[in-house]
């Protein structure tokens, strides 16, 4: 029996166990990665982005506080009633004592409002036509004027002349508001020049990133950048938020409601997501290391776990009828496998005992059948042949006597040989030729026989003396009521792994109902293996005995059939078909 071998595309048990654990491990690690991404990395990323937005908002609030301090400064100046009386007279074109007194009194009011701490560049008061009256520090010079700005802003409606505005004039950003009383009468204008150094200081110390402050029309208020870079900074519909630009930067922006200015914090993605990426890469490194270690551990664990099973499988493949007492290697730390091995050893011992009993019984059965067959064939066959030899000797047919003695000698040698050895189909046919040659001496020209066989029949194995009984049946029973010449044709062929023997005669055929009786007895013999007890006679040999001996060797790979000829043709045919392989149709 050929040992079972797995198909090429069939996974071994070790691979199945390994792949199962790997799939489970990958699922767990996948869940862990999703958990880290959702619970750690994503919140950390959101927190980092929110921190950038908070930093931009903080700068915007500082800017609002600075502008609000200038508004409070202007309110302190407008709270003095003297300023309205001074400005009531208007702009003095001549340099005289009156104008000098006017300037000195306005500077005193500005000094009282500013106090000892000054975080502005300068403060200028204009008349209602926009002409400069006085400058606190003289930074603007006498030529500075608001006339052009007032005319332009009042005409295009960008400023209604109430409240305050922030306007860039050259390199300076000015806080401008009207000087009016409670009734709304305008006496002049107050311009506070913001300190660029103070504004620039707001944009420093934020950490990673650059801070830029732009006014309503996109002009730079603080932070050095080109006009092309101004165009890249675009606030969205909301007053604050974070977006990614085309240069792999995160831009956090916050728009002031009071000034309308927008603070931008531009930070490279690498700086914003640096902590996030560090956590992500560290997690990937740890997960990859854990994955590799787990793969190695699972591989060797599954290998060590299934090694005894592989050994057991190898031992099973090596088992044969002559090697049933093989011992398993019991060096295993797996208690279940030790118990399995012990159960297997016990099964093998009981199987060995059963096989030995079966072999002895089969041996005795074959021996008894062959002995019975030889006992049935030898007496009457030898008696008849010797009688024919004596008649030929009396008639002086020495050549015939010599041939018959030779045929008889070969037949007796074949019959009395070891009953246990199988023979080839060619040997059986040769014995049948000896038998028919001896029988023909009795019937002479009345008997005609032919044997047609392929050369390949030498590869077919048969039990000894299974063909002669069928031929003997033809001689003894088939021609009792028919006229000669009597004909027997034996045809043997082999094709597609099958061999077939056909024994055909032109005799009387089987009586009505005899074939059905024969087939029923054969089926009953297959069921209870007691065919000899009710065998159907074919000469001195039972059909069930002959066919049963063949089935002992070929099991379910043997087909037997017997039938009478149809369409007016006389005689009957016996067919025996066997398979040399396990497949039989």
């Amino acid at each position: 029996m050929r040992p079972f071998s797995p198909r090429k595309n069939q996974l071994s048990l070790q691979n199945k166990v390994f792949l199962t654990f790997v799939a489970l491990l990958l699922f767990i690690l996948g869940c862990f990665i999703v958990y880290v991404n959702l619970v750690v990395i994503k919140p950390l990323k959101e927190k980092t982005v929110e921190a950038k937005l908070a930093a931009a908002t903080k700068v915007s609030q500082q800017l609002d506080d600075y502008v609000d301090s200038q508004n409070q400064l202007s309110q302190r100046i407008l709270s003095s009633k003297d300023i309205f009386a001074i400005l009531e007279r208007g702009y003095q074109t001549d340099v005289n004592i009156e104008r000098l007194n006017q300037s000195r009194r306005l500077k005193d009011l500005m000094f009282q409002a500013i106090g000892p701490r000054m975080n502005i560049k300068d403060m200028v008061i204009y008349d209602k036509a926009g002409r400069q009256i006085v400058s606190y520090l003289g930074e603007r010079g006498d030529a500075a004027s608001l006339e052009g700005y007032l005319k332009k802003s009042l005409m295009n409606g960008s400023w209604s002349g109430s409240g305050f505005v922030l306007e860039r004039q050259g390199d300076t950003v000015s806080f401008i508001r009207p000087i009016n009383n409670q009734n709304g009468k305008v006496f002049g204008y107050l311009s506070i020049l913001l300190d660029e150094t103070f504004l620039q200081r707001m944009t420093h110390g934020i950490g990673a990133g650059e801070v830029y402050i732009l006014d309503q029309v996109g002009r730079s208020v603080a932070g050095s950048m080109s006009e092309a870079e101004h165009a890249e900074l675009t606030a969205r519909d909301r007053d604050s938020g974070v977006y990614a630009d085309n240069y792999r930067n995160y831009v956090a922006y916050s728009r002031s409601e009071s000034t309308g200015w927008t603070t931008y914090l531009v930070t490279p993605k690498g700086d914003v997501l640096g902590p996030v990426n560090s956590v992500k890469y560290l997690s990937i490194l740890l997960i990859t290391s854990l994955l590799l270690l787990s793969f190695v551990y699972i591989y060797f664990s599954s290998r060590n776990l299934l090694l005894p099973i592989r050994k057991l499988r190898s031992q099973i493949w090596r088992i044969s009828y002559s090697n049933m007492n093989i011992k398993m290697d019991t060096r295993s730390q797996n208690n279940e496998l030790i118990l399995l091995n012990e159960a297997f050893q016990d099964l093998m011992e009981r199987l060995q005992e059963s096989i030995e009993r079966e072999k002895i019984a089969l041996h005795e059965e074959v021996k008894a059948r062959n002995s019975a067959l030889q006992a049935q064939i030898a007496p009457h066959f030898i008696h008849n042949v010797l009688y024919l030899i004596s008649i030929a000797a009396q008639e002086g047919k020495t050549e015939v006597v010599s041939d018959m003695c030779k045929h008889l000698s070969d037949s007796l040698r074949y019959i009395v040989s070891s009953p246990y050895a199988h023979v080839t189909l060619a040997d059986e046919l040769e014995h049948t030729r000896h038998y028919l040659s001896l029988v023909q001496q009795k019937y002479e020209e009345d008997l005609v026989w032919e044997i047609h066989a392929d050369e390949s029949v030498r590869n077919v194995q048969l039990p000894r003396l299974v063909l002669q009984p069928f031929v003997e049946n033809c001689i003894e029973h088939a021609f009792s009521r028919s006229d000669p010449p009597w004909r027997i044709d034996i045809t043997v062929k082999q094709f597609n792994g099958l061999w077939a023997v056909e024994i055909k005669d032109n005799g009387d055929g089987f009586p009505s109902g005899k074939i059905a009786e024969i087939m029923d007895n054969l089926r009953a013999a297959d069921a209870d293996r007691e065919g000899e007890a009710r065998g159907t006679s074919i000469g001195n040999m039972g059909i069930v005995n002959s066919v049963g001996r063949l089935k002992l060797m070929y099991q379910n790979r043997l087909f037997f059939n017997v039938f009478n000829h149809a369409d007016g043709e006389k005689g009957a045919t016996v067919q025996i078909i066997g398979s040399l392989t396990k497949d039989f149709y």
Side-chain angles (χ1 to χ4, degrees), residues 55 80 85 104 132 137 140 152 202 224 228 278 290 322 376 382 411 480 504 573:
S80 175
R104 185 175 60 250
Q132 178 178 321
L137 298 177
R140 297 301 298 270
K152 180 180 178 181
M202 291 183 186
S224 59
S278 298
L290 178 61
S322 60
Q376 290 174 345
I382 295 174
S411 295
S480 60
K504 181 179 180 180
T573 297

Side-chain angles (χ1 to χ4, degrees), residues 10 80 141 147 149 159 169 174 179-180 230 241 251 289 297 362 376 428 430 433 438-439 463 514 521 575-576:
Q10 183 178 0
S80 175
E147 291 180 286
Y149 172 73
W159 184 41
Q169 296 175 315
S174 301
I179 302 174
N180 55 357
H230 290 179
V251 180
S289 301
Y297 174 77
L362 182 61
Q376 290 174 345
E428 275 291 287
E430 184 64 24
R433 286 191 182 92
L438 291 171
V439 171
K514 191 67 174 179
N521 287 338
Q575 288 181 337
I576 305 173

Side-chain angles (χ1 to χ4, degrees), residues 101-147:
N101 290 333
Q102 183 186 36
S103 298
R104 185 175 60 250
R105 291 178 62 186
L106 290 174
K107 286 186 178 182
D108 290 339
L109 291 175
M110 289 189 286
F111 176 77
Q112 293 174 3
I114 294 174
R117 183 179 179 184
M118 183 175 178
N119 57 1
I120 61 176
K121 185 177 180 181
D122 199 358
M123 182 183 294
V124 182
I125 295 178
Y126 302 87
D127 65 2
K128 58 184 178 182
R131 293 170 295 185
Q132 178 178 321
I133 296 177
V134 65
S135 173
Y136 183 69
L137 298 177
E139 291 287 338
R140 297 301 298 270
D142 295 336
S145 173
L146 282 181
E147 291 180 286

Side-chain angles (χ1 to χ4, degrees), residues 19-35:
L19 293 178
T20 300
F21 278 101
V22 167
L24 179 61
L25 179 62
L26 290 176
F27 174 76
I28 295 174
L29 292 179
C31 294
F32 177 72
I33 291 174
V34 173
Y35 172 80

